[in-house]
Amino acid sequence: LVDELDHLEAIELSRNALGGFISDTWYDKTTKSVTPLPAYNERVAGQRRNVRLTQNPLFCPLPPWASKLMGASCRETQIHAIEPPVGGEGEYLTLTGEGFGPPRLGQDDSFGCVFRVAQSEEEIFIEATDRTENTLRCRAPALDAFAASRRANTAGGFAVTVNVA
């Protein structure tokens, strides 16, 4: 999440696919609230800001104040196995674990895998082709889908992370 938005008074980000950690810069220890607003034009400093983050798959653990003040919740996903452990372009990877959550009929879950060419920062998100509450299946992209791999033949494989919503 963004660490500093000085003039943001209210934002409703519930039911999105926001992930990551919540920064402590959003919390004011003195007022025990979301960081109050600074003075700006006619606005007096110290006014409360309203930030709502309910039903987002934020990373666990949450800061102790985030649930109460922002309605934040987290999803702790654990991966127990990736099959096959080694593969290549076009092959299907099946991830088995827990914490994916049940599929929601008719809703875009944004579940999938993020592939990165080894020794590169370039990433591609591939939506899952199939998923259950305990499995996720993704098809590895072709290397030519990555611009960097076309420029230099340095592809030694893929790194995979999981995106859950």
Side-chain angles (χ1 to χ4, degrees):
L1 292 174
V2 178
D3 281 338
E4 188 176 316
L5 293 171
D6 279 347
H7 302 294
L8 180 68
E9 293 182 18
I11 188 164
E12 172 58 68
L13 294 171
S14 297
R15 296 183 179 97
N16 282 284
L18 300 175
F21 293 101
I22 297 178
S23 171
D24 283 333
T25 59
W26 283 99
Y27 183 68
D28 185 295
K29 291 177 183 174
T30 305
T31 63
K32 294 186 169 83
S33 68
V34 174
T35 308
L37 293 160
Y40 182 71
N41 290 337
E42 302 293 317
R43 183 180 65 214
V44 177
Q47 290 185 12
R48 292 198 135 164
R49 79 174 76 218
N50 184 9
V51 179
R52 300 303 300 163
L53 297 172
T54 58
Q55 296 182 1
N56 281 293
L58 298 164
F59 296 167
C60 297
L62 289 173
W65 50 266
S67 177
K68 180 181 177 192
L69 297 177
M70 296 178 161
S73 58
C74 64
R75 174 169 293 153
E76 191 164 353
T77 302
Q78 296 179 5
I79 306 296
H80 300 297
I82 299 176
E83 294 293 331
V86 176
E89 300 176 24
E91 290 191 38
Y92 287 92
L93 293 158
T94 301
L95 293 87
T96 306
E98 55 191 69
F100 297 147
R104 296 174 292 192
L105 191 61
Q107 292 187 4
D108 177 19
D109 282 333
S110 299
F111 276 74
C113 303
V114 176
F115 291 87
R116 180 173 47 86
V117 176
Q119 296 108 22
S120 169
E121 296 298 316
E122 190 174 2
E123 297 177 336
I124 291 179
F125 173 77
I126 301 294
E127 193 170 327
T129 57
D130 189 28
R131 95 169 181 86
T132 68
E133 196 165 340
N134 299 316
T135 61
L136 187 66
R137 190 169 189 221
C138 299
R139 188 172 187 187
L143 284 175
D144 64 3
F146 295 90
S149 67
R150 289 191 298 256
R151 288 191 301 271
N153 188 14
T154 60
F158 292 118
V160 181
T161 55
V162 180
N163 182 30
V164 295

